[in-house]
């Protein structure tokens, strides 16, 4: 990268950060979610800027995603996670496969897209992005177990969706068989979890042994990105490994009695980092999408939207709702299921996967535009109405006797 390109990249970064800050100030006066405003700004900027802003998928997958999933895992309440683990596992594993399959079948039947290519689109839009929803929960004081379920699902299904996506692309290119695909997915999830456990245990013990906030912060950054890179280099899921490491560290440092200074530093620094990275993600989503190109394939996108809603309904109401007494030990309130259904937003991971599609895959541009259109719908329509739905259903109040508000997810 030459000096001019470096200066241009730094200038763009500063402009994006400044725009995120100004939008943050503006939305306090407007009745729209912060994430929606950022996406709209990105769309407008992408249409009006005299230069084309290319968003490399590596920027999302290697720079922004590890930090975001680590921060999310770090602040999840371990007790609630253990209680909701069955539901999380159901949503993040079979839930991803069901969603991807429904999208693939609907697109294949309705648009004549080959089934294997429809499944590639399904894999790209299977992962949910709850950033806007969780921030709404914090404002409304919603049940923390519901917030834990939604956020934990996203943290883990990011990882499983990326694995399924890679297998789907290989299948579309004729490079993998069904039995090999199943073995690959199972091995990847198991090994990635093991990597995260080992790194998380070692790092958390080092943090508590020293109990210095600067060293703890330095180690946490190394874990967030180092775990991701190690797992990725070994051919496994960096997201799953990083999430597990974050969960282990978050639980251990809070139970081990480290100093308040260390806990406050971890909370404050990672909260700021996540806010900044989240803002950049939503702006980059807007910049990556060409609205005119999306409009040109509107019928296919409409079928894709129908498919993700049908798939989400099957996963939430049938898989989770029908088995919740078994997987989480109690029947989940209907209001929770409605929020889970409508909270299935898609975001940065779907965009990054679409941008990373190999040039050799058939109908690459069409697959990308369908994915972009689905992401736009979920962010602009579902993202802007989720607060209304939560208030309408009364899910902004703890609906189980032993619940605490979701703000308690973060023991600050």
């Amino acid at each position: 990268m030459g000096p001019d390109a470096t200066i241009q990249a730094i200038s763009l970064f500063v402009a994006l950060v400044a725009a995120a800050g100004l939008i943050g100030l503006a939305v306090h006066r407007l009745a729209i979610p912060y994430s929606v405003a950022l996406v709209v700004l990105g769309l407008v900027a992408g249409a009006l800027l005299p230069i084309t802003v290319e968003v490399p998928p590596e920027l999302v997958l290697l720079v922004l995603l590890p930090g975001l999933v680590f921060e999310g895992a770090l602040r999840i309440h371990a007790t609630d996670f253990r209680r909701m683990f069955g539901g999380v596992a159901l949503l993040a594993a079979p839930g991803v496969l069901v969603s991807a399959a429904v999208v693939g079948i609907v697109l294949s039947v309705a648009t004549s897209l080959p089934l294997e290519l429809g499944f590639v689109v399904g894999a790209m839009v299977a992962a949910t992005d709850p950033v806007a929803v969780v921030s709404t929960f914090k404002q409304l004081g919603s049940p923390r177990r519901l917030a834990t379920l939604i956020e934990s699902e996203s943290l883990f299904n990011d990882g499983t969706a990326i694995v399924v996506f890679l297998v789907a692309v290989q299948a579309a290119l004729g490079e993998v068989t069904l039995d090999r695909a199943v073995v690959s997915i199972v091995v990847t999830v198991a090994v990635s979890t093991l990597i995260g456990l080992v790194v998380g245990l070692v790092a958390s013990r080092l943090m508590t042994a020293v109990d210095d906030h600067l060293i703890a912060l330095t180690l946490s950054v190394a874990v967030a990105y180092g775990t991701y890179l190690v797992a990725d280099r070994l051919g496994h899921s960096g997201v799953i490994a990083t999430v597990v490491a974050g969960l282990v560290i978050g639980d251990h440092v809070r139970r081990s009695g480290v100093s308040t200074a260390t806990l406050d530093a971890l909370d404050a620094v990672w909260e700021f980092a996540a806010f900044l990275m989240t803002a950049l993600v939503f702006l980059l989503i807007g910049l990556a999408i060409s609205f005119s190109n999306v409009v040109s394939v509107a019928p296919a996108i409409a079928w894709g939207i129908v498919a993700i809603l049908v798939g989400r309904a099957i996963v939430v109401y049938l898989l989770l709702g029908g088995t919740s007494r078994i997987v989480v030990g109690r029947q989940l309130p209907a209001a929770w299921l409605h929020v889970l259904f409508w909270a299935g937003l898609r975001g940065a991971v779907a965009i990054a996967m679409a941008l990373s599609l190999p040039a050799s895959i058939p109908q690459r541009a069409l697959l990308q535009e369908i994915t972009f259109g689905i992401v736009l719908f979920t962010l602009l329509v579902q993202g802007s109405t989720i607060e209304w739905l939560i208030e309408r259903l009364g899910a902004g109040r703890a609906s189980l006797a032993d619940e605490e508000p979701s703000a308690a997810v973060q023991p600050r």
Side-chain angles (χ1 to χ4, degrees):
M1 180 181 291
D4 291 340
T6 302
I7 292 174
Q8 186 176 18
I10 294 174
S11 300
L12 178 61
F13 173 76
V14 173
L16 290 174
V17 172
L22 293 174
I23 288 293
L25 291 173
V27 295
H28 282 293
R29 300 176 179 272
L30 303 173
I32 57 174
Y34 182 53
S35 56
V36 174
L38 290 170
V39 172
V40 172
L41 176 63
L43 286 169
V44 173
L48 299 181
L49 285 176
I51 60 172
T52 301
V53 179
E54 294 188 4
V55 181
E58 295 80 12
L59 175 61
V60 176
L61 294 175
L62 298 179
V63 178
L64 300 177
L65 187 58
L68 284 171
V69 298
F70 181 81
E71 188 272 342
L74 193 67
R75 61 185 171 84
I76 284 179
H77 197 286
T79 302
D80 287 330
F81 177 76
R82 284 190 287 268
R83 289 172 177 169
M84 305 303 290
F85 176 77
V88 173
L90 193 68
L91 292 170
V96 166
L97 292 172
V98 169
S99 296
V102 170
V103 172
I105 293 169
V106 170
L107 289 178
S108 177
V109 172
T111 69
S112 299
L113 194 70
L115 180 60
E116 61 272 16
L117 295 182
F119 190 73
V120 170
V121 175
M124 290 190 289
V125 298
T128 57
D129 183 349
V131 172
V133 181
V134 173
S135 63
T136 301
F137 280 2
K138 293 176 187 176
Q139 297 169 8
L140 300 178
S142 298
R144 77 183 193 189
R145 288 190 199 172
L146 176 57
T148 298
L149 180 59
I150 291 178
E151 189 162 13
S152 299
E153 175 202 0
S154 173
L155 293 175
F156 281 97
N157 74 13
D158 280 349
T160 53
I162 291 174
V163 174
V164 172
F165 164 73
L166 294 175
V167 172
V169 170
Q170 291 177 331
L173 296 175
E175 298 175 355
V176 69
T177 59
L178 180 60
D179 56 340
R180 287 177 56 197
V182 173
V183 171
S184 175
I185 292 173
V186 172
V187 170
T188 296
V189 172
V191 175
S192 303
T193 301
L194 180 61
I195 292 172
L197 281 172
V198 171
V199 175
L201 287 171
V202 172
S204 60
R205 291 185 182 280
L206 290 174
M207 290 180 185
T208 54
V210 178
D211 196 13
D212 180 282
H213 66 285
L214 294 178
I215 294 176
L217 278 171
T218 303
L219 287 173
S220 69
V221 173
V223 169
Y225 289 92
T227 308
Y228 188 100
L229 291 174
V230 168
D232 187 66
R233 289 293 179 89
L234 293 176
H236 299 291
S237 174
V239 174
I240 294 176
T242 302
V243 169
V244 173
L247 285 170
V248 171
I249 291 174
D251 181 46
H252 185 78
V253 297
R254 289 176 185 131
R255 290 190 297 104
S256 61
V258 296
S259 65
T260 302
T262 297
L263 286 176
D264 288 345
L266 285 170
D267 284 339
V269 172
W270 276 108
E271 184 180 23
F272 167 72
F275 175 81
L276 185 61
M277 289 186 286
T278 298
L280 293 176
V281 161
F282 284 116
L283 281 170
L284 291 173
I285 287 174
L287 289 171
I289 297 175
S290 170
F291 193 73
S292 59
N293 291 343
V294 168
V295 171
S296 67
V297 294
I301 291 171
W303 282 113
I305 292 169
V306 170
I308 64 163
L309 293 177
V310 171
R312 185 67 178 172
I314 293 172
V315 170
V316 170
Y317 293 110
L318 294 183
L319 281 185
L320 180 62
T323 63
S324 61
R325 289 189 182 277
I326 299 172
V327 297
V328 297
R330 66 183 67 195
Q331 183 63 45
L332 295 180
W336 286 27
L337 297 178
H338 299 330
V339 172
L340 276 165
F341 166 72
W342 199 242
L345 280 63
R346 274 64 175 177
V349 174
I351 296 294
M353 287 190 284
L355 293 172
S356 66
L357 280 170
S360 57
I361 196 167
Q363 303 185 64
R364 181 177 186 268
L366 175 61
L367 303 185
Q368 289 180 325
E369 301 307 335
I370 293 174
T371 302
F372 294 162
I374 291 172
V375 170
L376 268 186
F377 171 83
T378 64
L379 290 177
L380 299 183
V381 177
Q382 293 176 253
S384 61
T385 57
I386 188 64
E387 181 174 348
W388 173 85
L389 180 67
I390 291 172
E391 293 180 327
R392 180 81 174 176
L393 295 173
R397 301 184 300 272
S399 50
L400 293 178
D402 58 347
E403 269 291 353
E404 297 174 39
S406 61
V409 172
Q410 303 177 59
R412 300 188 186 285

